[in-house]
Amino acid sequence: MHSPSRPQSFLRSFLATEAAGGIILMAVAALALIVANSPLGEAYFHALHLTIGPLGLLHWINDGLMALFFLLVGLEIKREVLDGQLANWPRRALPGIAALGGMVVPAAIFVAVNWGHADTLKGWAIPSATDIAFALGVLALLGPRVPASLKVFLTALAIIDDLGAVVIIALFYTAKLDIWMLNAALALLVVLAIMNRRGVTFLPAYLALGAVLWVLTFLSGVHATLAGVALAFTIPLRPSDSSEHTPLHRLEHGLHPWVTYLVVPIFGFANAGVALGGMTLANLADPVTLGVTSGLFLGKQVGVFLFAALAIRLKWAQLPEHAGWGQVYGVALLCGIGFTMSLFIGGLAYADAAPLLDETKLGVLMGSLLSAGLGALVLGTVRRREENAEAR
């Protein structure tokens, strides 16, 4: 049952935009690899390290531009929890439990592969993330073969996954703290929360203070992108409102195309490029590459599917409507597409270790491609078998 403030058309629009963005992201990732391994490769890597003001270009993209991505992630999480697919326990159960498995098992596999390598273990969270746009892009290519309920399930799971990634970044990938700046950021966050409680709905005021919050968060040592999530949680949304034009809805609608079609592709192009010259098949067995590849491809499918199956068998949740076990397994495979958030966490884990970052990129690309290919094959095959059975 959809809330009057969130008609079904909103969800259809969201899924369509994410799917289109995922297809663009695939093309951008391929382009980054081509450029990085072409005569333009040297210029590509040099440009990323150009200094603009206090930061290099890559840092402006990853710390500044991606704050908009995290702002959108925060808005989506808040909307879904208060007024959407995660608004009550029955709706949260299946994607929530599946997301937990999809975070725990890949991390465990990465740790197992990298055990005894103290310098690489800090990348344990890299394969724990699912790229919602990339995964929905693959589903879009399958067309009507996939029931809408599976798309909603995947979207809800990926949103919970994003929340888990945000918590991991805040707890485990924070640099040395400047307590004064952190306290100033927290004080400003309290001001924003009070504005919400007092019924202030003037979006420019929130965004202006949000920019200040980003600066204070950056100076505090906490990763600056988390300011985007914190700001999102203060943007007003009243679930009881009959209007879909609340400040949160308006900001999300306005921000979504920019993030999907500009911010994430720029991030993907800047972070997916890895020079493959000199690499051999033996490099696929490097601890980070192997840990990320196996974590995404094996860990995600095992964690998501087994935890979902457990929840359904224990009657804590139900299969998505009009979907079978084979299709749920296909979606579990697609959860191994970890592109955007995995590359982001990899950049935090190995910021000062370029070779390990290259291993991360290679692992993310391999794990994501294997997951996308087999996931699409399974979903397409399962659907055809069902259609043949019905025809008989």
Side-chain angles (χ1 to χ4, degrees):
M1 190 68 161
H2 290 266
S3 158
S5 63
R6 289 185 72 253
Q8 267 191 321
S9 59
F10 179 88
L11 182 60
R12 285 199 298 268
S13 173
F14 173 84
L15 292 172
T17 304
E18 288 286 356
I23 293 169
I24 292 171
L25 195 52
M26 295 178 207
V28 166
L31 180 61
L33 275 175
I34 292 169
V35 170
N37 292 278
S38 75
L40 296 173
E42 186 176 346
Y44 167 82
F45 290 111
H46 177 72
L48 292 176
H49 292 93
L50 286 175
T51 300
I52 304 172
L55 298 172
L57 177 59
L58 187 60
H59 279 98
W60 276 118
I61 293 170
N62 292 352
D63 292 15
L65 203 57
M66 283 296 282
L68 296 176
F69 169 80
F70 277 85
L71 172 57
L72 182 62
V73 166
L75 293 171
E76 290 172 352
I77 291 170
K78 180 173 180 177
R79 172 177 50 75
E80 291 295 339
V81 168
L82 292 182
D83 191 33
Q85 293 302 319
L86 305 175
N88 53 55
W89 171 249
R91 289 181 177 179
R92 293 173 193 152
L94 186 61
I97 294 170
L100 177 62
M103 288 184 276
V104 171
V105 178
I109 288 178
F110 183 94
V111 169
V113 172
N114 285 269
W115 193 255
H117 301 272
D119 57 332
T120 64
L121 268 177
K122 58 186 176 181
W124 61 270
I126 295 169
S128 295
T130 295
D131 191 300
I132 182 174
F134 216 136
L136 285 173
V138 174
L139 283 184
L141 295 177
L142 294 170
R145 295 189 187 96
V146 181
S149 63
L150 278 181
K151 297 176 184 176
V152 173
F153 167 60
L154 176 59
T155 302
L157 189 156
I159 288 173
I160 296 171
D161 210 316
D162 282 345
L163 178 58
V166 168
V167 172
I168 288 170
I169 291 168
L171 294 179
F172 299 101
Y173 294 101
T174 293
K176 292 181 180 178
L177 291 177
D178 183 318
I179 297 300
W180 290 103
M181 289 298 174
L182 181 59
N183 286 337
L186 291 174
L188 184 54
L189 197 55
V190 170
V191 170
L192 286 161
I194 291 172
M195 288 168 56
N196 184 322
R197 294 286 294 177
R198 293 292 179 89
V200 176
T201 59
F202 186 55
L203 262 179
Y206 287 93
L207 297 178
L209 291 177
V212 178
L213 180 65
W214 181 89
V215 173
L216 293 173
T217 305
F218 177 80
L219 295 175
S220 76
V222 176
H223 201 272
T225 51
L226 297 181
V229 180
L231 173 63
F233 290 165
T234 70
I235 303 296
L237 171 65
R238 305 285 182 263
S240 58
D241 249 343
S242 60
S243 170
E244 64 177 282
H245 300 296
T246 65
L248 187 145
H249 283 113
R250 285 188 284 116
L251 181 57
E252 188 178 8
H253 276 290
L255 199 57
H256 207 279
W258 290 98
V259 170
T260 301
Y261 299 127
L262 184 65
V263 172
V264 172
I266 288 175
F267 171 84
F269 182 74
N271 286 273
V274 56
L276 300 176
M279 287 191 178
T280 65
L281 288 176
N283 291 114
L284 296 177
D286 290 337
V288 173
T289 303
L290 183 59
V292 172
T293 302
S294 56
L296 285 172
F297 180 58
L298 298 176
K300 274 291 186 179
Q301 60 170 293
V302 170
V304 170
F305 186 74
L306 286 186
F307 275 56
L310 181 64
I312 292 168
R313 291 300 185 193
L314 293 176
K315 302 192 183 303
W316 294 346
Q318 294 180 330
L319 272 170
E321 192 175 15
H322 305 304
W325 286 107
Q327 290 171 313
V328 172
Y329 175 61
V331 168
L333 279 163
L334 293 187
C335 288
I337 303 172
F339 193 79
T340 304
M341 197 68 86
S342 292
L343 288 176
F344 187 84
I345 294 174
L348 297 180
Y350 305 128
D352 301 318
L356 295 181
L357 192 52
D358 284 343
E359 289 181 26
T360 299
K361 292 178 182 179
L362 185 58
V364 169
L365 290 170
M366 289 297 298
S368 297
L369 286 173
L370 288 170
S371 299
L374 188 56
L377 180 64
V378 167
L379 286 168
T381 303
V382 168
R383 183 61 178 170
R384 280 196 296 274
R385 282 179 179 172
E386 289 178 351
E387 288 171 349
N388 290 339
E390 289 172 3
R392 293 194 198 103

